[in-house]
Amino acid sequence: MIVILLGPPGAGKGTQAKRVQQHHNLMQLSTGDMLREACETGSPIGRQARAAMDAGELVSDEIVVGIIAERIERDDCAGGFLLDGFPRNVAQARALDAMLAEKGRKLDAVVEMRVDEEALVKRISGRFTCATCKEGYNDYYKRPKMDGICDVCGGNEFFRRDDDNEETVRNRLETYRAQTKPLLPYYEARGVLHTVDGMAGIDEVERQVAEVLKAA
Ligand code: AP5
């Protein structure tokens, strides 16, 4: 099965993608995570991507399409995968269509996660991550059971993303409205678009996503 999770920054794509990977055996492919890793290692792709990411703009289609084209060839994607953060504009969606057609594969579902803008800003400003195991937390919605200690690995170091500052978040939301939102009619016209209530609690969103996947 091939699925896209689509939604604005902070909608919960990464949170749900990890759960889907765990429970439905679909490999999570997050272009954001891949680009952040490239930035950390200082690779040529990372150096090119960093300025756009810091500004809340999209990294070039050439880079992200290249990353995904290479990634979906690997064995761990043979049984299916879940795209988190890709495609992000119509050109990337067309490139994905072409990649899948070439391999005789098809897109099964696009899950739109709908969340109010005010909630997005609160979610992003509250987000922090365990530096050791990368478990995600939130000041408002998901604090560790013991302050300062990761529930999963017991680590005591956490970090916040560079692009989670107010100005960059505003730009990321604007970029979503201008470039990514047009994907909703694009996929609706292809009969694969489903919408879940991203304002619900994390477990309830997971249930709604699972229902979509079951019917797809
Ligand atoms: P990317 O990493 O994809 O970031 P994003 O789309 O802005 O999304 P986020 O990771 O901020 O949010 P999310 O929806 O995953 O929410 P999360 O689950 O963390 O991209 C970063 C940058 O990389 C882009 O700006 C761009 O520059 C570049 N890039 C990436 N892909 C690209 C592409 N294809 N083309 C070009 N450039 C690309 O949840 C957020 C918080 O809310 C968490 O703290 C979580 O605990 C909490 N939360 C989640 N769900 C709920 C809920 N239901 N209720 C309450 N809290 C919740």
Side-chain angles (χ1 to χ4, degrees), residues 108-129:
D108 295 282
V110 176
V111 184
E112 178 205 4
M113 306 182 62
R114 205 173 278 172
V115 181
D116 297 348
E117 198 153 299
E118 217 171 277
L120 295 173
V121 174
K122 191 170 173 189
R123 285 185 188 182
I124 292 174
S125 63
R127 171 167 54 191
F128 60 101
T129 305

Side-chain angles (χ1 to χ4, degrees), residues 32-169:
D33 286 349
M34 294 177 208
L35 290 166
R36 275 185 290 279
E37 204 178 302
C39 290
E40 269 169 39
T41 58
S43 72
I45 282 182
R47 287 199 296 275
Q48 286 179 64
R50 185 179 286 278
M53 294 176 79
D54 285 348
E57 291 164 5
L58 294 186
V59 173
S60 78
D61 293 342
E62 194 189 347
I63 289 179
V64 288
V65 169
I67 290 176
I68 288 294
E70 185 272 325
R71 188 64 189 78
I72 65 176
E73 288 293 339
R74 296 199 207 158
D75 291 347
D76 58 7
C77 289
F81 50 87
L82 176 76
L83 292 160
D84 157 13
F86 179 92
R88 243 164 155 110
N89 59 27
V90 171
Q92 292 181 16
R94 292 207 174 107
L96 177 65
D97 288 344
M99 274 180 235
L100 297 181
E102 195 184 311
K103 290 176 211 325
R105 301 181 79 172
K106 74 169 183 55
L107 179 62
D108 295 282
V110 176
V111 184
E112 178 205 4
M113 306 182 62
R114 205 173 278 172
V115 181
D116 297 348
E117 198 153 299
E118 217 171 277
L120 295 173
V121 174
K122 191 170 173 189
R123 285 185 188 182
I124 292 174
S125 63
R127 171 167 54 191
F128 60 101
T129 305
C130 171
T132 311
C133 72
K134 307 285 189 282
E135 180 69 6
Y137 292 98
N138 195 289
D139 291 325
Y140 307 106
Y141 303 107
K142 187 188 162 200
R143 295 199 59 82
K145 291 190 183 84
M146 271 177 70
D147 258 356
I149 306 287
C150 174
D151 297 344
V152 175
C153 73
N156 60 4
E157 279 188 39
F158 297 85
F159 68 89
R160 291 178 193 260
R161 270 169 48 178
D162 291 343
D163 62 346
D164 279 353
N165 64 77
E166 200 186 321
E167 193 190 340
T168 309
V169 169

